[in-house]
Amino acid sequence: MTDQTDSAAPDTIVLVHGLWMTPRSWRGWKERFESKGFTVLTPAYPGFEIEVEALRENPDVIAKLTVPATVDHLAAQIEALPKPPIIMGHSFGGTLTQLLLARGLGASAVVVDSAPTEGVRMTPLSQAKSLFPALKNPANIHRAVAFTPEEFHYAFANTLSREDSDAAWEEFAIAAPGNWIWAYGLIANFKPGHQETWVDYAKDRAPLLFIGGEKDHIMPPSVNKSNAKHYAKSPALTEYVEFPGRSHWICAEPGWEEVADHALEWALAHASESVALSASAE
């Protein structure tokens, strides 16, 4: 599917996973994009290179993780590529993707059900309820916090049957660093100065598409719309599209192929525009 006549066109896609997940969550997208001729990288967060089952047995590596170290880790892998890739991120992987774009990385990007960057103050009731298991105890700041199967069903996979949701939890779910949920989901907007998930919304960067899921409880469409609108003063292209009936499990629930194909088609189309503009400016 890659245009072999255009040597500047992206031939690599970097998929950034979110919290409570590992690179395993991108299995379907990776296989689908590879079948179209792309090189697909699914980098893990630092220390997450082990499997889901091993992370469950040793959650300390999760609890001690930091956002700056994670962004540096991902940026180093992208900077080592011969040309800018397409970057796609889900949930907090969407936040990390926005931070990578703010560093000038990527030919284009898509964030799916993205967690917000600093300054987005939209907090729907379903989001507060989804995050309550982590926020109910301040001691969780220093812990890795896991969802129970019931909590996962509400926050992540509410469009699935409870049986299918439990199967997804069993195969994919790990804990998340409680510090991240407290720091960037609750405190960042109330602290003076810029925090670690702040981006310069007015700055130029690669084209960026937000994809929202209508039924997403933990990162509802209102959060993604608000995040996208923060880029209104940027000269770079920012668009938002919403898929009806989709939950936070949008990348794996029935019909995920439609979402993946839309993300890739948009990213390819606008990466070409970005590459052409960069070439004309040289």
Side-chain angles (χ1 to χ4, degrees):
M1 186 171 176
T2 51
D3 183 356
Q4 302 299 328
T5 65
D6 184 355
S7 60
D11 57 8
T12 300
I13 302 170
V14 178
L15 301 174
V16 184
H17 66 85
L19 297 184
W20 290 285
M21 290 289 137
T22 71
R24 184 185 289 183
S25 63
W26 286 118
R27 184 166 57 204
W29 289 47
K30 178 175 170 60
E31 292 175 357
R32 191 169 185 85
F33 292 159
E34 286 178 338
S35 73
K36 297 176 185 292
F38 292 91
T39 297
V40 183
L41 306 180
T42 56
Y45 297 173
F48 280 44
E49 295 83 3
I50 56 179
E51 282 294 349
V52 167
E53 295 74 13
L55 283 166
R56 287 174 176 166
E57 294 176 0
N58 181 25
D60 282 353
V61 68
I62 299 172
K64 295 175 181 175
L65 195 64
T66 69
V67 166
T70 305
V71 177
D72 288 345
H73 177 76
L74 297 171
Q77 296 180 60
I78 292 170
E79 288 167 343
L81 297 172
K83 56 185 177 181
I86 293 169
I87 308 173
M88 298 184 185
H90 174 247
S91 196
F92 206 93
T95 304
L96 297 170
T97 296
Q98 293 181 63
L99 295 174
L100 292 166
L101 256 62
R103 292 190 179 196
L105 300 174
S108 62
V110 179
V111 294
V112 185
D113 290 348
S114 182
T117 41
E118 185 183 339
V120 178
R121 297 179 180 274
M122 187 67 65
T123 309
L125 181 61
S126 70
Q127 184 181 57
K129 180 177 178 179
S130 297
L131 297 177
F132 183 72
L135 298 175
K136 65 183 178 183
N137 184 352
N140 285 337
I141 292 175
H142 306 291
R143 297 170 177 161
V145 183
F147 283 134
T148 65
E150 181 179 7
E151 292 164 348
F152 180 85
H153 186 222
Y154 179 81
F156 262 72
N158 46 296
T159 58
L160 302 185
S161 68
R162 179 59 192 272
E163 180 181 11
D164 289 344
S165 176
D166 287 0
W169 178 90
E170 184 64 39
E171 183 173 5
F172 296 100
I174 61 169
N179 178 50
W180 291 28
I181 302 161
W182 274 82
Y184 314 116
L186 186 66
I187 298 173
N189 286 333
F190 300 99
K191 293 181 71 174
H194 298 318
Q195 308 303 308
E196 292 160 346
T197 58
W198 178 84
V199 299
D200 182 352
Y201 291 107
K203 187 179 178 181
D204 198 7
R205 46 142 179 80
L208 172 62
L209 173 66
F210 283 79
I211 292 180
E214 180 201 12
K215 301 295 186 184
D216 188 343
H217 278 169
I218 193 168
M219 296 298 163
S222 58
V223 175
N224 280 263
K225 289 178 184 175
S226 178
N227 199 157
K229 287 179 180 177
H230 275 64
Y231 288 105
K233 293 183 179 178
S234 172
L237 177 65
T238 307
E239 291 187 355
Y240 171 82
V241 65
E242 188 171 315
F243 281 77
R246 309 304 172 93
S247 69
H248 203 62
W249 200 239
I250 188 170
C251 296
E253 69 186 330
W256 64 265
E257 296 91 343
E258 178 187 13
V259 182
D261 290 350
H262 184 91
L264 179 57
E265 289 168 9
W266 190 98
L268 281 174
H270 296 291
S272 298
E273 294 172 8
S274 179
V275 168
L277 287 172
S278 298
S280 64
E282 292 177 352

